[in-house]
Amino acid sequence: MIPARYGATRFPGKLMQDLGGKPVIVRTYEATKDTRLFDEVYVVTDSELIFKEIELNGGKAIMSIKEHDCGTDRIAEAVEDMDVDIVVNVQGDEPFTSKSGLKQVLSVFDGPDADKIDLASLMTEIYDWKEISDPNSVKVIVDKENFALYFSRSPIPYPRDKNAAVQYYKHKGIYAFRKKALLDFYRLPMRPMEAVEKIECIRFLEYGKNIKMAISNIQSIEIDTPDDLIRANKVLKDGNNIVVNNQYRNFPMVPKVVYGRGSFDQLSSILAPQRKDKAPFIYLVDDVFKDNADIIDRMNLRFNDKLIFVSAEEEPKTEQVDTIVKNIKGEFTYSPSGIIGVGGGSVLDLSKAVSIMLTNKGSAADYQGWDLVNTKSIYHVGVPTISGTGAEVSRTTVLMGPEKKLGINSDFTTFDQVLLDPDLTASVPKDQWFYTGMDCFIHCVESLNGTFLNEFSKSYGEKAYDLCKEIFLSDNLSEVESRGKLMMASWHGGMSIAYSQVGVAHAMSYGLSYVLGIKHGIGNCIVFDHLEEYYPEGVRIFKEMKDYHNIKLPQGICNNLTEYQMNTMIDIALSLVPLWENALGDDWKSKITRDKLQDLYLKM
Ligand SMILES: [Fe+2]
């Protein structure tokens, strides 16, 4: 619901002002609809003019009958007789409303504490004392679960010691209400704190409602003044508008890549032009190479460059990213010239995440999701030493967070440079080679059988699929040939899902990793082995490959799970909405149930 009052104190008639050929309110309506997050979108207005304009543009509008004190009242009146579950209030004067912000505010209702939540809203980190002390910016404080404790125009908490490290948050006026909370607001009279601060949402707190706050650091442009309108028109004209709601994704690819046996020797000459005075290169290297003097020697570290060995025994964690970033910031005055990841999918993902978090504030966990990164990352290079995950080409970095296993999927995640040297994969143990190779095979099966499939993904997916069959099912390839081919299969498989999505095996395997700490490659294999129903041909070939290489998968891994663990596993799997949408279509919820998932897990 987009409440739209014609008169605005600071900028009268602002919603009908022209923004790139259309009134502001029409832009907001279209941007909201384009997110495809809602069953219905309405503008609720007191103005005939706005009503007619929306209808004229093919939109839906509702005239609100009464005079209202605020937008919340206006939409409450409108939904009173509608059969709705969750109502989202989108500000009429935010024509570049971002999909990710709205998605975040909605996603809290899928979380484990959803039952406790009456409404959800957004907050953004602020750092500038001018903004913190500005009464026009409403600050919010939250408890450890991010439930709002209080909203105020004063700086809260008040810093007695000005240097105290505390994160301030500014409230953003986007709300998602359960219908009941919204109607209660409408019926209950204003109480003193709301009246004195003139902040609507305090009413909810004064009546004991729970407001869950999600963090969104996406910048948006509110049209509050004529200057804002000029700025917004410029943004539109320059085409750099912040909206990411486009139907077709504008996907970044790795801009530079070198391929060839022994190309690892070129690494230092490739890096040289990127070196900034006094700023080191940081190498994150899989600790299997700890005693490999040859590899370390060939990296040719200079000046204050630093080598950090990381274990790939476990999936990379947001906490691990935060620690590495903190250590680098603590040790060096200058921000690094670049981050070089040398290892498998885990190390590559870790390197991408570290390069992002060196320029973005907060914790890596704040950026798990789609397009939440604001600032360009540090120059980063990926050197895979095991093939299959596609991490070298992907626009994401999958991390285990405190609440979820999810990627930081952004334009700034993709590597600036990749070096593909098939010889580096020579020492990979056989079962690991198989599991990681199967990750690639499963990427292809899931992409090629998904509803998101398009010619772009298909062309890469089919190539990788054929390469995998050749590598894993024929015996006329030399080891050297096989290594080169698997490296390219990984690349193509990664490209295929980058412009599409993975599916059932990945969604369920994320659950296994989160609860049991099972690594991605083997987790996928364990799951995929039981997915005949969804991918009959792919699973048949997989089993053939498994037998051919005499691979034995663990059995009965979910037999001794507690009910809580099983539920968490199912929650994690179901939270990966785009994967299910790709695998089973828009009505996936009617096709996969919790019981069904539990049955599948129990077979593994
Ligand atoms: Fe994967």
Side-chain angles (χ1 to χ4, degrees):
M1 308 299 282
I2 310 171
R5 189 166 66 99
Y6 186 80
T9 349
R10 284 212 278 171
F11 186 4
K14 65 180 183 180
L15 296 181
M16 288 301 290
Q17 296 288 326
D18 180 79
L19 177 55
K22 290 177 182 175
V24 171
I25 187 68
V26 174
R27 291 266 173 205
T28 309
Y29 181 84
E30 289 177 350
T32 309
K33 219 167 152 41
D34 285 349
T35 64
R36 302 185 190 189
L37 292 170
F38 307 105
D39 296 316
E40 297 285 358
V41 178
Y42 293 97
V43 167
V44 191
T45 183
D46 62 343
S47 148
E48 289 272 353
L49 206 63
I50 292 179
F51 181 88
K52 281 195 188 128
E53 188 63 37
I54 293 294
E55 296 240 299
L56 200 71
N57 281 277
K60 290 183 179 174
I62 297 173
M63 280 300 286
S64 57
I65 316 155
K66 301 174 200 125
E67 275 297 311
H68 288 296
D69 294 334
C70 61
T72 311
D73 278 349
R74 198 174 302 284
I75 63 173
E77 181 208 327
V79 300
E80 207 166 6
D81 298 318
M82 285 185 190
D83 179 21
V84 288
D85 175 20
I86 294 186
V87 182
V88 176
N89 172 346
V90 175
Q91 302 289 316
D93 58 3
E94 287 203 17
F96 304 122
T97 278
S98 102
K99 179 171 182 173
S100 71
L102 292 171
K103 219 171 171 174
Q104 267 178 306
V105 78
L106 280 171
S107 69
V108 306
F109 292 97
D110 294 325
D113 53 2
D115 290 352
K116 280 198 286 183
I117 301 169
D118 296 303
L119 66 148
S121 190
L122 291 180
M123 60 185 183
T124 188
E125 292 170 357
I126 49 174
Y127 299 90
D128 180 0
W129 183 252
K130 236 170 81 192
E131 193 172 15
I132 295 167
S133 54
D134 178 359
N136 288 317
S137 99
V138 173
K139 274 70 63 180
V140 55
I141 44 173
V142 292
D143 70 9
K144 67 182 195 342
E145 250 88 56
N146 281 351
F147 281 102
L149 294 169
Y150 191 60
F151 298 87
S152 181
R153 295 182 185 279
S154 299
I156 45 173
Y158 187 83
R160 195 183 70 167
D161 170 5
K162 284 281 183 297
N163 295 320
V166 62
Q167 181 62 61
Y168 282 90
Y169 293 104
K170 176 180 166 177
H171 180 219
K172 283 185 165 183
I174 290 178
Y175 298 96
F177 306 92
R178 291 200 187 277
K179 184 180 175 185
K180 181 171 183 312
L182 182 58
L183 294 184
D184 282 353
F185 177 90
Y186 188 36
R187 290 177 194 129
L188 296 166
M190 191 187 292
R191 293 192 52 82
M193 283 197 282
E194 178 190 350
V196 69
E197 291 255 20
K198 296 210 164 33
I199 299 173
E200 284 173 49
C201 49
I202 294 179
R203 189 177 314 175
F204 293 102
L205 297 178
E206 285 184 281
Y207 286 99
K209 306 270 185 212
N210 295 322
I211 311 180
K212 178 94 171 184
M213 303 299 295
I215 302 170
S216 165
N217 289 321
I218 302 252
Q219 300 292 321
S220 56
I221 300 180
E222 245 173 82
I223 313 281
D224 258 344
T225 63
D227 276 350
D228 291 338
L229 188 68
I230 294 169
R231 198 156 65 96
N233 266 303
K234 192 170 175 324
V235 164
L236 258 192
K237 200 165 142 260
D238 295 349
N240 62 349
N241 88 41
I242 319 155
V243 200
V244 277
N245 305 338
N246 294 331
Q247 186 181 359
Y248 299 109
R249 290 168 46 208
N250 192 0
F251 161 74
M253 290 178 160
V254 173
K256 287 201 137 183
V257 58
V258 50
Y259 174 87
R261 295 183 61 196
S263 58
F264 191 56
D265 291 329
Q266 273 175 240
L267 180 61
S268 62
S269 65
I270 289 170
L271 296 179
Q274 304 292 337
R275 187 182 290 280
K276 291 188 225 96
D277 192 30
K278 292 182 191 156
F281 280 109
I282 312 281
Y283 293 75
L284 299 178
V285 179
D286 189 321
D287 65 4
V288 297
F289 296 110
K290 212 166 188 167
D291 301 317
N292 190 327
D294 173 52
I295 295 279
I296 296 166
D297 226 34
R298 290 164 70 196
M299 284 189 242
N300 204 3
L301 268 65
R302 295 291 172 85
F303 313 109
N304 55 350
D305 289 352
K306 188 176 172 73
L307 188 58
I308 303 174
F309 287 108
V310 286
S311 162
E313 275 304 302
E314 284 177 30
E315 302 265 296
K317 296 188 176 59
T318 52
E319 216 185 281
Q320 193 183 1
V321 174
D322 296 344
T323 309
I324 295 176
V325 169
K326 202 174 132 218
N327 292 344
I328 294 174
K329 284 185 170 169
E331 186 173 341
F332 299 99
T333 329
Y334 296 91
S335 111
S337 293
I339 302 295
I340 325 298
V342 181
S346 301
V347 176
L348 295 184
D349 275 0
L350 201 65
S351 310
K352 292 195 252 185
V354 166
S355 76
I356 290 171
M357 293 315 299
L358 279 165
T359 55
N360 286 276
K361 292 176 174 119
S363 158
D366 302 340
Y367 299 92
Q368 284 179 286
W370 277 267
D371 295 308
L372 304 177
V373 179
N374 309 315
T375 314
K376 193 177 179 326
S377 50
I378 292 223
Y379 173 77
H380 52 304
V381 179
V383 183
T385 60
I386 176 164
S387 304
T389 64
E392 62 278 20
V393 278
S394 74
R395 181 191 183 264
T396 189
T397 157
V398 183
L399 300 172
M400 196 80 78
E403 283 164 34
K404 55 199 166 202
K405 178 181 174 185
L406 188 63
I408 299 181
N409 203 316
S410 82
D411 279 356
F412 304 125
T413 309
T414 317
F415 282 116
D416 297 297
Q417 167 83 56
V418 167
L419 186 148
L420 300 174
D421 181 348
D423 285 355
L424 292 177
T425 66
S427 58
V428 179
K430 176 160 179 200
D431 48 354
Q432 215 184 331
W433 163 82
F434 182 83
Y435 299 141
T436 315
M438 286 303 107
D439 187 21
C440 171
F441 179 70
I442 295 167
H443 290 160
C444 301
V445 174
E446 292 188 317
S447 156
L448 293 171
N449 289 285
T451 60
F452 293 0
L453 188 65
N454 51 71
E455 291 305 327
F456 187 101
S457 306
K458 199 171 160 192
S459 67
Y460 285 102
E462 284 176 344
K463 182 68 200 171
Y465 186 83
D466 291 345
L467 283 170
C468 285
K469 283 204 290 191
E470 198 185 347
I471 297 158
F472 291 98
L473 283 178
S474 77
D475 43 19
N476 45 19
L477 290 181
S478 72
E479 263 193 45
V480 167
E481 282 171 325
S482 166
R483 280 200 290 271
K485 282 182 193 281
L486 187 55
M487 194 152 248
M488 289 326 296
S490 173
W491 183 276
H492 281 76
M495 286 298 293
S496 179
I497 49 172
Y499 214 87
S500 162
Q501 251 310 340
V502 280
V504 182
H506 275 76
M508 294 191 72
S509 150
Y510 276 30
L512 285 184
S513 308
Y514 189 83
V515 174
L516 296 172
I518 294 182
K519 285 208 69 184
H520 185 66
I522 185 169
N524 277 348
C525 289
I526 294 172
V527 175
F528 198 62
D529 209 21
H530 298 279
L531 296 184
E532 294 92 344
E533 195 181 333
Y534 302 99
Y535 307 109
E537 175 69 2
V539 174
R540 188 185 63 73
I541 296 175
F542 169 76
K543 286 182 189 286
E544 215 177 297
M545 293 171 170
K546 198 179 62 163
D547 292 343
Y548 191 90
H549 294 283
N550 199 17
I551 300 287
K552 298 271 177 277
L553 291 171
Q555 301 287 330
I557 54 168
C558 295
N559 285 355
N560 298 316
L561 292 186
T562 63
E563 198 183 320
Y564 178 76
Q565 283 177 311
M566 179 57 88
N567 278 326
T568 309
M569 207 177 245
I570 293 170
D571 286 340
I572 295 280
L574 287 175
S575 72
L576 296 154
V577 175
L579 281 63
W580 294 105
E581 282 176 350
N582 179 43
L584 305 174
D586 280 345
D587 56 340
W588 62 275
K589 280 185 180 154
S590 65
K591 294 181 181 159
I592 190 89
T593 60
R594 299 185 73 88
D595 287 348
K596 175 80 201 171
L597 283 175
Q598 176 156 344
D599 283 351
L600 281 167
Y601 275 129
L602 289 174
K603 278 195 208 166
M604 293 170 194

